[in-house]
Amino acid sequence: MQDLKEMVETLAATARELPSGQDHHNALREIEKFRVRITALQAFDLRGAHAGLSAKK
């Protein structure tokens, strides 16, 4: 998960260097979608870990 976060930050930094325009906008939008997916996966992992702890009680 940490590797994915680092990749997103690297991609975002690279995209910010693109000249203004549609490509710049599209790249940032796709990176944001990727960031949202990572966040959703983290939330899913946390719910699963929490469910596993609750089941052990």
Side-chain angles (χ1 to χ4, degrees):
M1 215 41 93
Q2 188 61 35
D3 289 343
L4 290 175
K5 287 181 181 181
E6 290 172 11
M7 288 172 51
V8 167
E9 292 308 316
T10 301
L11 287 170
T14 302
R16 284 191 288 274
E17 294 176 9
L18 291 171
S20 294
Q22 194 62 44
D23 289 338
H24 179 255
H25 176 75
N26 289 345
L28 291 175
R29 187 176 57 201
E30 290 301 316
I31 291 166
E32 187 57 30
K33 286 180 186 178
F34 190 53
R35 193 181 315 242
V36 168
R37 288 180 184 153
I38 291 170
T39 302
L41 284 172
Q42 285 179 310
F44 181 76
D45 283 347
L46 290 176
R47 283 193 306 263
H50 181 69
L53 290 175
S54 296
K56 289 182 181 181
K57 289 183 179 181

